[in-house]
Amino acid sequence: MKKIFGVVGYPINHTLSPAIHNYLFGQFKMEAVYLAFEVPPAQYEHFFKGMACINNLVGLNVTVPFKNEAAQYTDRIIFKKKDVFGAVPVNTVHFKNKISFGFNTDIYGFYMGLLKSCPSFRPKRKIALLIGAGGAAKGVGISLVSAGIKCLVIANRTYKKAVDLKSFLEKISRLTEIKAIPLSGDILSSQGPFDLIINSTSHGLKKERSLINFNVRGIRSGIAYDLIYKPKTDFLIQAEKNGWETVNGLDMLIFQAFKAFQIWTGKNPIKYYTDIKKILLKMM
Ligand code: ATR
């Protein structure tokens, strides 16, 4: 019987995940299909409970706006720090022997995306600015403090959420100095320099102007990383203009998918990276 995999989200029409996984199933000659499931938020609970009844369903990715909800519908969360795993967003579910296991592969995907573009990046003495404090920011924060970044400044429009994320991340690692501040456009001149700045917000998806000003005299540049991969955001355009190295979210998307594929199938798809990147760039 064909094995079923998929991604659930709302909306979901632009997802590139089916292209990645269906290509891999073809390469590994697996009898499997990966589908996109569009589920309105009010129906999500029914959807998840129903999914758990399907014998040949093996894996599910969970995307916006359900990442924070998925944990409550999974039987076991797999995360190395047991005291915080209930609060880790779940983006990958593996159904095995009638038990659902929840994982977060964005944490790995984010860091691999960074290393792919900037292989010499070493976190130990680095100061990072994380813009945003939602579900995506949580994954980025876990990734950076787990890697041992020296200092992480979290800036969010709603200050309270930045403070909450700081408290959460402090439970994961005591090695990183973590600060929470309100977001402001002049953050680079008032709080910089930074080695790495990440935009984890959805601001920029509709081509809005960058939330921060990169045109600051006398401040050294670093790496600007936007989790958005389409369109090229004003955040990345302004960073590039001012001499920053830039990274978009496409490699993060590919590597989080590779990790999920490996969890579900036990197979490592890394040798297909170049082929898949070409396919996705054509689709964008
Ligand atoms: P996700 O799971 O994609 O991170 P989320 O949990 O809803 O989605 O978080 C969205 C993040 O983007 C938040 O940090 C949000 O800031 P607030 O906490 O103040 O809402 C941020 N964000 C979204 N639109 C923004 C905007 N126009 N300006 C600044 N921050 C914005």
Side-chain angles (χ1 to χ4, degrees), residues 64 68 132-137 156-158 161 183 200-203 211:
V64 180
N68 282 328
N156 197 45
R157 180 177 62 180
T158 311
K161 279 168 74 178
L183 178 61
S200 76
T201 75
S202 48
H203 186 89
L211 286 169

Side-chain angles (χ1 to χ4, degrees), residues 23-281:
Y23 178 81
L24 292 174
F25 294 146
Q27 295 305 312
F28 284 102
K29 305 203 178 343
M30 291 173 62
E31 267 243 51
V33 64
Y34 187 104
L35 304 165
F37 300 111
E38 186 172 84
V39 177
Q43 303 299 325
Y44 180 67
E45 189 176 347
H46 294 303
F47 168 83
F48 213 89
K49 287 182 175 161
M51 284 282 140
C53 309
I54 302 174
N55 276 345
N56 55 326
L57 180 84
V58 179
L60 204 57
N61 284 132
V62 182
T63 186
V64 180
F66 301 126
K67 281 185 195 182
N68 282 328
E69 268 118 287
Q72 58 181 299
Y73 301 112
T74 41
D75 300 317
R76 292 185 202 159
I77 311 287
I78 309 299
F79 186 68
K80 58 182 185 240
K81 290 268 182 186
K82 297 229 175 338
D83 46 339
V84 294
F85 63 25
V88 173
V90 166
N91 79 318
T92 298
V93 183
H94 187 195
F95 298 91
K96 206 167 126 188
N97 305 326
K98 305 264 179 231
I99 300 171
S100 55
F101 297 87
F103 299 80
N104 184 310
T105 68
D106 284 338
I107 297 169
Y108 167 83
F110 166 79
Y111 206 72
M112 287 300 290
L114 177 61
L115 290 187
K116 193 77 196 167
S117 298
C118 312
S120 61
F121 181 82
R122 297 285 175 273
K124 298 280 182 248
R125 292 194 183 83
K126 300 293 194 296
I127 303 175
L129 169 66
L130 172 58
I131 303 171
K138 205 177 219 181
V140 171
I142 296 171
S143 190
L144 289 174
V145 303
S146 304
I149 194 124
K150 181 177 163 227
C151 177
L152 179 66
V153 179
I154 305 164
N156 197 45
R157 180 177 62 180
T158 311
Y159 174 60
K160 162 89 172 58
K161 279 168 74 178
V163 174
D164 291 347
L165 182 56
K166 167 182 147 76
S167 313
F168 170 79
L169 293 173
E170 281 169 345
K171 290 185 202 149
I172 293 180
S173 171
R174 295 209 178 88
L175 296 176
T176 303
E177 182 194 344
I178 307 175
K179 291 183 204 165
I181 57 172
L183 178 61
S184 73
D186 67 353
I187 212 161
L188 200 49
S189 55
S190 62
Q191 306 279 336
F194 298 104
D195 301 292
L196 171 65
I197 302 182
I198 306 108
N199 175 36
S200 76
T201 75
S202 48
H203 186 89
L205 263 177
K206 295 185 193 131
K207 298 210 165 198
E208 305 96 323
R209 285 186 60 189
S210 170
L211 286 169
I212 65 162
N213 176 23
F214 281 97
N215 187 7
V216 180
R217 280 192 172 199
I219 288 255
R220 68 177 154 78
S221 57
I223 303 164
Y225 189 161
D226 201 323
L227 305 196
I228 296 171
Y229 52 83
K230 191 189 167 192
K232 184 169 182 178
T233 57
D234 189 52
F235 171 87
L236 291 187
I237 294 168
Q238 296 308 323
E240 204 171 72
K241 265 191 196 157
N242 286 283
W244 288 63
E245 270 184 83
T246 58
V247 184
N248 73 24
L250 188 60
D251 280 332
M252 174 174 174
L253 176 84
I254 296 173
F255 284 105
Q256 65 73 29
F258 280 9
K259 185 81 173 176
F261 188 86
Q262 210 166 356
I263 288 167
W264 295 329
T265 67
K267 300 178 201 302
N268 184 350
I270 194 73
K271 67 175 174 188
Y272 298 109
Y273 168 79
T274 311
D275 296 355
I276 284 178
K277 186 130 182 200
K278 263 192 218 152
I279 293 169
L280 299 187
L281 285 171

